[in-house]
Amino acid sequence: MSAQPYPASFPLNRMTSSFAELSATIRETGLLRRSYTFYSVYGAALLLALGGIITGVVLLGDSWLQLLMAAALGVWFTQVAFLGHEASHRTVLASGPANDRLGRFLSTVLVGISHQWWMRKHTRHHGNPNRVGKDPDIEKDTISFLEDDAAVARGPIRWITQRQGWLFFPLLTLEGLNLHYRSVASLITGGTRRERWIELPSIALHFALYLVPVFWFLPLGMAFAFVGVQMAVFGVYMGASFAPNHKGMRIIGRDERVDFLSKQVLTSRNIRGGWAMSILMGGLNYQIEHHLFPSMARPHLARAREIVREHCATLGVPYTETSLIESYAIVIRYLNRVGLAARDPFDCPERVAMGR
Protein backbone atom coordinates (compact mmCIF):
# COMPACT_ATOMS: atom_id res chain seq x y z
CA MET A 1 0.00 0.00 0.00
CA SER A 2 1.50 3.30 -1.01
CA ALA A 3 1.95 5.85 1.73
CA GLN A 4 0.35 9.26 1.59
CA PRO A 5 2.79 12.11 0.94
CA TYR A 6 3.85 13.99 4.03
CA PRO A 7 2.07 17.38 4.09
CA ALA A 8 4.40 20.29 3.40
CA SER A 9 2.43 22.34 5.93
CA PHE A 10 4.13 20.41 8.76
CA PRO A 11 7.80 21.54 8.74
CA LEU A 12 9.89 19.03 10.69
CA ASN A 13 11.84 21.57 12.73
CA ARG A 14 8.74 23.47 13.73
CA MET A 15 6.91 20.28 14.74
CA THR A 16 9.86 19.00 16.76
CA SER A 17 10.12 22.21 18.76
CA SER A 18 6.36 22.21 19.15
CA PHE A 19 6.39 18.76 20.73
CA ALA A 20 9.06 19.95 23.16
CA GLU A 21 6.69 22.73 24.22
CA LEU A 22 3.81 20.26 24.58
CA SER A 23 5.97 17.90 26.63
CA ALA A 24 7.02 20.74 28.94
CA THR A 25 3.37 21.71 29.47
CA ILE A 26 2.41 18.13 30.29
CA ARG A 27 5.29 17.85 32.75
CA GLU A 28 4.53 21.18 34.43
CA THR A 29 0.88 20.21 34.80
CA GLY A 30 1.95 17.18 36.81
CA LEU A 31 0.48 14.62 34.43
CA LEU A 32 3.61 12.44 34.42
CA ARG A 33 3.43 11.67 38.13
CA ARG A 34 2.58 8.17 39.33
CA SER A 35 -0.92 7.20 40.41
CA TYR A 36 -0.38 4.64 43.17
CA THR A 37 -3.92 4.95 44.53
CA PHE A 38 -5.54 4.10 41.21
CA TYR A 39 -3.36 1.06 40.54
CA SER A 40 -3.74 -0.18 44.13
CA VAL A 41 -7.54 -0.02 43.86
CA TYR A 42 -7.40 -1.52 40.37
CA GLY A 43 -5.23 -4.42 41.54
CA ALA A 44 -7.48 -5.04 44.56
CA ALA A 45 -10.54 -5.05 42.29
CA LEU A 46 -8.89 -7.66 40.05
CA LEU A 47 -8.13 -9.87 43.07
CA LEU A 48 -11.74 -9.58 44.28
CA ALA A 49 -13.01 -10.36 40.79
CA LEU A 50 -10.85 -13.49 40.59
CA GLY A 51 -12.15 -14.58 43.99
CA GLY A 52 -15.70 -14.07 42.74
CA ILE A 53 -15.06 -16.14 39.60
CA ILE A 54 -13.51 -19.00 41.61
CA THR A 55 -16.42 -18.90 44.05
CA GLY A 56 -18.87 -18.98 41.13
CA VAL A 57 -17.15 -22.02 39.63
CA VAL A 58 -17.29 -23.89 42.95
CA LEU A 59 -20.94 -23.03 43.63
CA LEU A 60 -22.16 -23.84 40.10
CA GLY A 61 -20.56 -27.28 40.10
CA ASP A 62 -21.60 -29.61 37.26
CA SER A 63 -23.62 -27.01 35.34
CA TRP A 64 -23.32 -25.55 31.86
CA LEU A 65 -23.72 -22.16 33.51
CA GLN A 66 -19.98 -22.60 34.10
CA LEU A 67 -19.55 -21.14 30.63
CA LEU A 68 -20.56 -17.78 32.10
CA MET A 69 -17.66 -18.12 34.53
CA ALA A 70 -15.42 -19.02 31.58
CA ALA A 71 -16.44 -15.82 29.80
CA ALA A 72 -15.83 -13.83 32.99
CA LEU A 73 -12.37 -15.40 33.27
CA GLY A 74 -11.61 -14.38 29.68
CA VAL A 75 -12.51 -10.79 30.60
CA TRP A 76 -10.37 -11.05 33.75
CA PHE A 77 -7.31 -12.25 31.82
CA THR A 78 -7.71 -9.31 29.44
CA GLN A 79 -7.93 -6.80 32.26
CA VAL A 80 -4.77 -8.28 33.80
CA ALA A 81 -3.11 -8.01 30.38
CA PHE A 82 -4.02 -4.31 30.33
CA LEU A 83 -2.28 -3.86 33.67
CA GLY A 84 0.72 -5.82 32.36
CA HIS A 85 0.80 -3.53 29.33
CA GLU A 86 0.95 -0.49 31.59
CA ALA A 87 3.68 -2.06 33.72
CA SER A 88 5.68 -2.77 30.54
CA HIS A 89 5.58 0.99 29.89
CA ARG A 90 6.88 1.56 33.44
CA THR A 91 3.70 3.35 34.41
CA VAL A 92 2.61 1.57 37.56
CA LEU A 93 5.57 1.61 39.98
CA ALA A 94 8.39 4.06 40.65
CA SER A 95 11.39 2.14 39.32
CA GLY A 96 11.98 0.53 35.96
CA PRO A 97 13.14 -2.86 37.34
CA ALA A 98 10.12 -3.04 39.66
CA ASN A 99 7.78 -2.39 36.73
CA ASP A 100 9.60 -5.03 34.68
CA ARG A 101 9.21 -7.62 37.44
CA LEU A 102 5.53 -6.78 37.84
CA GLY A 103 4.95 -6.87 34.09
CA ARG A 104 6.71 -10.22 33.74
CA PHE A 105 4.66 -11.75 36.57
CA LEU A 106 1.36 -10.44 35.22
CA SER A 107 2.13 -11.47 31.64
CA THR A 108 3.64 -14.91 32.19
CA VAL A 109 2.15 -16.35 35.38
CA LEU A 110 -1.29 -14.73 35.31
CA VAL A 111 -1.99 -14.35 31.56
CA GLY A 112 0.34 -16.97 30.05
CA ILE A 113 2.14 -14.91 27.41
CA SER A 114 5.80 -13.97 27.09
CA HIS A 115 6.64 -10.61 28.61
CA GLN A 116 9.89 -10.34 26.65
CA TRP A 117 8.24 -11.19 23.32
CA TRP A 118 5.53 -8.62 23.97
CA MET A 119 8.08 -5.98 25.00
CA ARG A 120 10.18 -6.37 21.85
CA LYS A 121 7.16 -6.36 19.58
CA HIS A 122 5.38 -3.49 21.33
CA THR A 123 8.50 -1.32 21.58
CA ARG A 124 8.99 -1.59 17.81
CA HIS A 125 5.34 -0.63 17.31
CA HIS A 126 5.57 2.43 19.53
CA GLY A 127 8.69 3.64 17.77
CA ASN A 128 7.17 3.39 14.30
CA PRO A 129 3.39 3.01 14.37
CA ASN A 130 1.93 2.13 10.95
CA ARG A 131 5.33 2.49 9.24
CA VAL A 132 5.84 -0.02 6.45
CA GLY A 133 8.60 -2.48 7.24
CA LYS A 134 9.05 -1.36 10.86
CA ASP A 135 5.74 -1.76 12.69
CA PRO A 136 5.20 -5.46 13.52
CA ASP A 137 1.49 -4.80 14.04
CA ILE A 138 0.95 -4.30 10.30
CA GLU A 139 3.16 -7.17 9.17
CA LYS A 140 1.54 -9.89 7.10
CA ASP A 141 -0.27 -12.60 9.07
CA THR A 142 -3.61 -14.32 8.54
CA ILE A 143 -4.92 -10.76 8.10
CA SER A 144 -3.22 -8.42 5.60
CA PHE A 145 -3.01 -4.77 6.60
CA LEU A 146 -1.26 -3.58 3.42
CA GLU A 147 -2.41 -3.98 -0.16
CA ASP A 148 0.99 -5.31 -1.26
CA ASP A 149 0.68 -8.15 1.25
CA ALA A 150 -2.91 -8.89 0.26
CA ALA A 151 -1.95 -9.11 -3.41
CA VAL A 152 0.49 -12.00 -2.81
CA ALA A 153 -1.82 -14.05 -0.56
CA ARG A 154 -2.33 -17.59 -1.83
CA GLY A 155 -4.41 -20.66 -1.02
CA PRO A 156 -6.82 -20.57 1.94
CA ILE A 157 -5.22 -17.33 3.17
CA ARG A 158 -6.17 -15.65 -0.11
CA TRP A 159 -9.80 -16.69 0.40
CA ILE A 160 -9.70 -15.23 3.93
CA THR A 161 -7.96 -12.05 2.74
CA GLN A 162 -10.67 -11.42 0.16
CA ARG A 163 -13.24 -11.33 2.98
CA GLN A 164 -11.01 -10.30 5.87
CA GLY A 165 -13.04 -7.30 7.00
CA TRP A 166 -16.11 -9.42 7.65
CA LEU A 167 -14.05 -12.29 9.06
CA PHE A 168 -11.94 -10.09 11.35
CA PHE A 169 -14.00 -10.46 14.53
CA PRO A 170 -14.76 -14.18 14.05
CA LEU A 171 -11.01 -14.76 13.56
CA LEU A 172 -10.32 -12.99 16.86
CA THR A 173 -11.86 -15.98 18.66
CA LEU A 174 -8.55 -17.73 17.84
CA GLU A 175 -6.33 -14.80 18.86
CA GLY A 176 -5.97 -16.03 22.44
CA LEU A 177 -4.50 -19.32 21.23
CA ASN A 178 -2.32 -17.39 18.78
CA LEU A 179 -0.89 -15.20 21.56
CA HIS A 180 0.00 -18.21 23.67
CA TYR A 181 1.52 -20.05 20.71
CA ARG A 182 3.61 -17.11 19.50
CA SER A 183 4.86 -16.44 23.02
CA VAL A 184 6.19 -19.96 23.49
CA ALA A 185 7.48 -20.23 19.91
CA SER A 186 9.34 -16.91 20.16
CA LEU A 187 11.03 -17.97 23.40
CA ILE A 188 12.09 -21.33 21.96
CA THR A 189 13.38 -20.01 18.64
CA GLY A 190 14.60 -16.50 19.50
CA GLY A 191 14.72 -16.04 23.26
CA THR A 192 17.93 -15.82 25.21
CA ARG A 193 18.82 -18.60 27.64
CA ARG A 194 17.85 -16.38 30.57
CA GLU A 195 14.48 -15.52 29.00
CA ARG A 196 13.73 -19.17 28.35
CA TRP A 197 14.71 -20.21 31.88
CA ILE A 198 12.54 -17.49 33.44
CA GLU A 199 9.50 -17.28 31.18
CA LEU A 200 8.86 -20.83 29.92
CA PRO A 201 8.47 -22.24 33.47
CA SER A 202 6.31 -19.22 34.38
CA ILE A 203 4.00 -19.82 31.42
CA ALA A 204 3.89 -23.53 32.27
CA LEU A 205 2.93 -22.57 35.84
CA HIS A 206 0.10 -20.43 34.44
CA PHE A 207 -1.41 -23.33 32.54
CA ALA A 208 -0.92 -25.70 35.47
CA LEU A 209 -2.69 -23.34 37.87
CA TYR A 210 -5.52 -22.84 35.37
CA LEU A 211 -6.02 -26.13 33.51
CA VAL A 212 -5.44 -28.67 36.28
CA PRO A 213 -8.28 -27.38 38.54
CA VAL A 214 -10.64 -26.95 35.55
CA PHE A 215 -10.14 -30.52 34.28
CA TRP A 216 -10.09 -31.93 37.81
CA PHE A 217 -13.30 -30.21 38.93
CA LEU A 218 -15.45 -30.30 35.75
CA PRO A 219 -16.57 -33.17 33.52
CA LEU A 220 -14.24 -33.62 30.54
CA GLY A 221 -16.56 -32.19 27.88
CA MET A 222 -17.53 -29.25 30.05
CA ALA A 223 -13.87 -28.58 30.87
CA PHE A 224 -12.98 -28.37 27.17
CA ALA A 225 -15.97 -26.09 26.57
CA PHE A 226 -14.91 -23.92 29.53
CA VAL A 227 -11.40 -23.46 28.12
CA GLY A 228 -12.77 -22.84 24.60
CA VAL A 229 -15.12 -20.08 25.76
CA GLN A 230 -12.44 -18.48 27.91
CA MET A 231 -9.94 -18.47 25.04
CA ALA A 232 -12.49 -17.08 22.59
CA VAL A 233 -13.57 -14.26 24.92
CA PHE A 234 -9.94 -13.44 25.74
CA GLY A 235 -9.01 -13.27 22.04
CA VAL A 236 -11.99 -11.18 20.99
CA TYR A 237 -11.65 -8.79 23.94
CA MET A 238 -7.92 -8.29 23.35
CA GLY A 239 -8.32 -7.80 19.60
CA ALA A 240 -11.37 -5.57 19.94
CA SER A 241 -9.43 -3.34 22.37
CA PHE A 242 -6.24 -2.98 20.33
CA ALA A 243 -7.66 -2.96 16.76
CA PRO A 244 -9.46 0.44 16.88
CA ASN A 245 -6.25 2.27 17.78
CA HIS A 246 -4.40 2.32 14.44
CA LYS A 247 -6.16 0.22 11.80
CA GLY A 248 -7.47 2.42 9.01
CA MET A 249 -5.27 5.34 10.04
CA ARG A 250 -2.39 6.91 8.11
CA ILE A 251 0.24 4.50 6.70
CA ILE A 252 3.81 5.86 6.69
CA GLY A 253 6.22 4.82 3.92
CA ARG A 254 9.48 3.01 4.64
CA ASP A 255 11.72 6.02 3.97
CA GLU A 256 9.28 8.83 4.68
CA ARG A 257 10.49 11.53 7.07
CA VAL A 258 7.91 12.33 9.76
CA ASP A 259 8.45 14.17 13.04
CA PHE A 260 7.55 12.45 16.30
CA LEU A 261 4.39 14.42 17.07
CA SER A 262 2.84 13.97 13.62
CA LYS A 263 3.92 10.32 13.42
CA GLN A 264 2.13 9.46 16.64
CA VAL A 265 -0.98 11.61 16.17
CA LEU A 266 -1.69 10.93 12.49
CA THR A 267 -1.46 7.15 12.91
CA SER A 268 -3.56 6.91 16.10
CA ARG A 269 -7.26 7.12 16.89
CA ASN A 270 -8.94 7.91 20.19
CA ILE A 271 -12.24 6.37 21.31
CA ARG A 272 -14.87 8.51 23.03
CA GLY A 273 -16.48 7.33 26.24
CA GLY A 274 -14.65 8.81 29.23
CA TRP A 275 -13.94 6.78 32.36
CA ALA A 276 -16.20 3.87 31.46
CA MET A 277 -14.38 3.39 28.16
CA SER A 278 -11.02 3.79 29.91
CA ILE A 279 -11.84 0.86 32.21
CA LEU A 280 -13.29 -1.20 29.35
CA MET A 281 -10.24 -0.65 27.10
CA GLY A 282 -7.53 -0.42 29.73
CA GLY A 283 -6.72 3.20 28.83
CA LEU A 284 -6.19 2.33 25.16
CA ASN A 285 -9.08 4.61 24.27
CA TYR A 286 -6.62 7.50 24.78
CA GLN A 287 -4.29 6.06 22.17
CA ILE A 288 -2.91 9.39 20.93
CA GLU A 289 -1.87 10.51 24.39
CA HIS A 290 -0.58 7.04 25.22
CA HIS A 291 1.70 7.11 22.17
CA LEU A 292 2.94 10.61 22.87
CA PHE A 293 3.53 9.92 26.57
CA PRO A 294 3.68 6.11 26.97
CA SER A 295 4.72 6.21 30.64
CA MET A 296 1.72 8.36 31.66
CA ALA A 297 -0.57 6.75 34.24
CA ARG A 298 -4.07 5.95 33.05
CA PRO A 299 -5.93 8.44 35.31
CA HIS A 300 -4.02 11.37 33.77
CA LEU A 301 -4.76 10.55 30.12
CA ALA A 302 -8.15 12.30 30.07
CA ARG A 303 -6.64 15.64 31.16
CA ALA A 304 -3.73 15.17 28.76
CA ARG A 305 -6.25 14.65 25.95
CA GLU A 306 -7.59 18.19 26.42
CA ILE A 307 -4.09 19.67 26.23
CA VAL A 308 -2.97 17.57 23.26
CA ARG A 309 -6.17 18.18 21.32
CA GLU A 310 -5.86 21.95 21.74
CA HIS A 311 -2.19 21.80 20.78
CA CYS A 312 -2.96 19.84 17.60
CA ALA A 313 -5.74 22.28 16.67
CA THR A 314 -3.29 25.16 17.01
CA LEU A 315 -0.83 23.43 14.68
CA GLY A 316 -3.44 22.21 12.24
CA VAL A 317 -2.59 18.54 12.86
CA PRO A 318 -5.65 16.29 12.39
CA TYR A 319 -6.72 14.72 15.70
CA THR A 320 -8.97 11.67 15.22
CA GLU A 321 -11.55 10.60 17.77
CA THR A 322 -14.59 8.38 17.15
CA SER A 323 -17.09 6.20 18.98
CA LEU A 324 -16.18 2.56 19.55
CA ILE A 325 -18.79 1.30 17.08
CA GLU A 326 -17.67 3.79 14.45
CA SER A 327 -14.06 2.67 14.90
CA TYR A 328 -15.05 -0.95 14.28
CA ALA A 329 -16.89 0.07 11.11
CA ILE A 330 -13.78 1.93 9.93
CA VAL A 331 -11.58 -1.11 10.63
CA ILE A 332 -13.91 -3.45 8.74
CA ARG A 333 -14.11 -1.09 5.74
CA TYR A 334 -10.34 -0.66 5.72
CA LEU A 335 -9.63 -4.38 5.87
CA ASN A 336 -12.16 -5.06 3.13
CA ARG A 337 -10.56 -2.37 0.96
CA VAL A 338 -7.10 -3.87 1.50
CA GLY A 339 -8.52 -7.33 0.79
CA LEU A 340 -9.63 -6.19 -2.67
CA ALA A 341 -5.99 -6.51 -3.74
CA ALA A 342 -6.31 -10.29 -3.31
CA ARG A 343 -9.31 -10.59 -5.62
CA ASP A 344 -9.23 -11.89 -9.15
CA PRO A 345 -9.35 -8.80 -11.42
CA PHE A 346 -11.79 -10.69 -13.66
CA ASP A 347 -14.25 -11.35 -10.83
CA CYS A 348 -17.81 -10.31 -11.53
CA PRO A 349 -18.41 -6.98 -9.72
CA GLU A 350 -21.64 -8.33 -8.28
CA ARG A 351 -19.83 -11.33 -6.78
CA VAL A 352 -17.15 -9.05 -5.35
CA ALA A 353 -19.74 -6.78 -3.76
CA MET A 354 -21.45 -9.81 -2.18
CA GLY A 355 -18.11 -11.14 -0.86
CA ARG A 356 -18.29 -14.41 -2.82
Side-chain angles (χ1 to χ4, degrees):
M1 184 177 192
S2 60
Q4 301 93 325
Y6 187 70
S9 58
F10 299 158
L12 291 175
N13 291 339
R14 176 195 171 205
M15 298 300 286
T16 300
S17 62
S18 180
F19 176 71
E21 296 171 4
L22 173 63
S23 183
T25 300
I26 291 291
R27 189 177 296 105
E28 291 167 3
T29 310
L31 296 179
L32 295 180
R33 68 184 185 276
R34 303 299 184 199
S35 186
Y36 299 117
T37 300
F38 170 80
Y39 288 112
S40 297
V41 172
Y42 186 42
L46 287 174
L47 286 175
L48 287 173
L50 179 60
I53 293 170
I54 293 173
T55 301
V57 169
V58 172
L59 292 178
L60 285 172
D62 185 359
S63 167
W64 285 101
L65 290 176
Q66 291 283 7
L67 299 187
L68 295 176
M69 295 297 100
L73 190 59
V75 171
W76 187 84
F77 280 137
T78 308
Q79 285 289 329
V80 174
F82 290 154
L83 184 58
H85 166 248
E86 290 175 284
S88 73
H89 282 290
R90 303 187 170 184
T91 297
V92 180
L93 302 174
S95 75
N99 275 297
D100 289 341
R101 288 191 292 271
L102 175 62
R104 183 173 292 108
F105 172 76
L106 294 172
S107 298
T108 57
V109 177
L110 295 191
V111 182
I113 63 176
S114 168
H115 174 70
Q116 215 55 47
W117 166 72
W118 173 263
M119 284 284 288
R120 280 193 289 264
K121 179 177 180 290
H122 200 58
T123 299
R124 288 174 57 205
H125 161 71
H126 264 265
N128 289 282
N130 279 12
R131 183 184 284 276
V132 178
K134 293 188 176 181
D135 184 359
D137 287 0
I138 60 172
E139 290 177 355
K140 184 181 178 182
D141 200 347
T142 303
I143 297 291
S144 293
F145 299 105
L146 302 174
E147 292 172 5
D148 290 345
D149 291 335
V152 299
R154 294 292 181 267
I157 297 298
R158 183 179 182 86
W159 185 91
I160 292 173
T161 303
Q162 292 169 349
R163 302 157 179 82
Q164 63 179 8
W166 304 119
L167 293 175
F168 180 65
F169 284 98
L171 286 171
L172 286 180
T173 58
L174 303 175
E175 180 61 16
L177 289 171
N178 182 51
L179 288 171
H180 294 306
Y181 165 75
R182 287 187 177 275
S183 292
V184 174
S186 70
L187 286 170
I188 293 174
T189 61
T192 65
R193 175 181 293 185
R194 182 176 183 274
E195 290 167 0
R196 287 194 294 267
W197 273 101
I198 293 175
E199 297 202 356
L200 285 175
S202 297
I203 293 173
L205 176 62
H206 161 81
F207 284 108
L209 291 172
Y210 169 36
L211 296 179
V212 170
V214 168
F215 280 88
W216 181 272
F217 186 74
L218 300 178
L220 187 61
M222 189 178 295
F224 275 111
F226 186 99
V227 175
V229 169
Q230 177 269 303
M231 286 288 184
V233 170
F234 174 59
V236 171
Y237 192 4
M238 285 284 283
S241 299
F242 281 89
N245 304 331
H246 302 282
K247 304 301 180 280
M249 295 301 293
R250 164 95 180 269
I251 298 295
I252 300 175
R254 291 178 184 271
D255 302 317
E256 187 176 358
R257 292 185 63 208
V258 186
D259 68 275
F260 179 79
L261 176 66
S262 300
K263 176 173 62 176
Q264 303 297 347
V265 174
L266 296 177
T267 60
S268 302
R269 176 192 299 115
N270 275 14
I271 305 299
R272 291 191 292 268
W275 266 104
M277 192 61 66
S278 187
I279 295 298
L280 179 67
M281 296 185 67
L284 297 173
N285 52 313
Y286 295 113
Q287 190 66 196
I288 294 173
E289 289 70 33
H290 171 60
H291 262 255
L292 290 173
F293 306 99
S295 63
M296 181 178 291
R298 194 190 310 182
H300 304 320
L301 291 169
R303 172 60 181 137
R305 168 191 170 274
E306 299 174 5
I307 297 172
V308 171
R309 188 167 185 170
E310 182 180 347
H311 189 79
C312 288
T314 301
L315 294 172
V317 178
Y319 182 104
T320 302
E321 187 173 73
T322 69
S323 69
L324 185 61
I325 299 302
E326 186 181 356
S327 73
Y328 291 151
I330 293 170
V331 170
I332 291 171
R333 286 197 301 268
Y334 170 72
L335 292 177
N336 278 333
R337 186 171 69 250
V338 170
L340 290 174
R343 296 191 184 276
D344 187 331
F346 297 105
D347 264 344
C348 168
E350 183 177 351
R351 288 179 64 228
V352 171
M354 296 178 68
R356 296 187 304 199

